[in-house]
Amino acid sequence: MTNAKFTKTVGLEPGPWLERIVWNEQGLVPVIAQEASSGDVLMMAWMNQASLLQTLQKGEAVYWSRSRNKLWHKGEESGHTQTVREIRLDCDGDTLLLIVDQKDGIACHTGRHSCFFNEWDSAASNWVDTMKP
């Protein structure tokens, strides 16, 4: 676990700091969640301005669910929350990186540690599940 560089910002309001982020046509930005302790890439999700603001205020990851069309506090149903340690904006301003502590080590809705468990096998010309539960 890394030392936290992030602290909750209760009462933070939208402002010019949001203009540094390049939002797509739907008002969303892609977000990568990376585990602080292992460096593993856990998942990719989307945020809108409201979910980013809630993440900054709560100190836990809140995403925008495109399938449910609503804010999604990661772990609200499963209990597998993500405590945010750092938030980074890439050089182009169009992708966020959350460095998180993943509760119970499970980030994927399949029950796996990471959503990136399908690896390309060139010999088989197919995807192979490298993290069977």
Side-chain angles (χ1 to χ4, degrees):
M1 186 182 315
T2 64
N3 292 332
K5 294 181 182 181
F6 170 84
T7 53
K8 292 188 271 188
T9 314
V10 178
L12 181 67
E13 297 292 328
W17 60 272
L18 282 170
E19 295 171 15
R20 294 261 327 261
I21 300 170
V22 179
W23 306 93
N24 71 12
E25 306 79 38
Q26 292 81 37
L28 303 173
V29 64
V31 182
I32 300 295
Q34 180 180 24
E35 189 172 46
S37 61
S38 67
D40 291 348
V41 173
L42 299 175
M43 58 180 278
M44 182 272 176
W46 296 91
M47 281 188 175
N48 62 12
Q49 290 185 8
S51 61
L52 176 57
L53 197 59
Q54 282 195 26
T55 296
L56 292 166
Q57 292 169 343
K58 291 178 183 284
E60 291 188 347
V62 177
Y63 300 108
W64 176 256
S65 171
R66 294 180 306 159
S67 61
R68 293 180 249 168
N69 203 32
K70 69 174 194 164
L71 293 174
W72 161 44
H73 181 188
K74 175 70 175 142
E76 65 190 349
E77 293 176 15
S78 67
H80 301 227
T81 55
Q82 294 176 337
T83 302
V84 178
R85 295 290 167 208
E86 295 179 40
I87 301 178
R88 299 182 187 182
L89 180 63
D90 81 334
C91 58
D92 296 322
D94 62 1
T95 304
L96 293 174
L97 172 66
L98 298 186
I99 299 175
V100 302
D101 292 330
Q102 178 63 59
K103 187 172 180 189
D104 300 326
I106 299 172
C108 187
H109 73 279
T110 65
R112 292 171 173 89
H113 174 64
S114 169
C115 294
F116 295 96
F117 54 85
N118 289 304
E119 182 176 328
W120 181 252
D121 182 334
S122 295
S125 295
N126 205 353
W127 298 102
V128 177
D129 183 340
T130 59
M131 295 183 205
K132 292 188 179 178

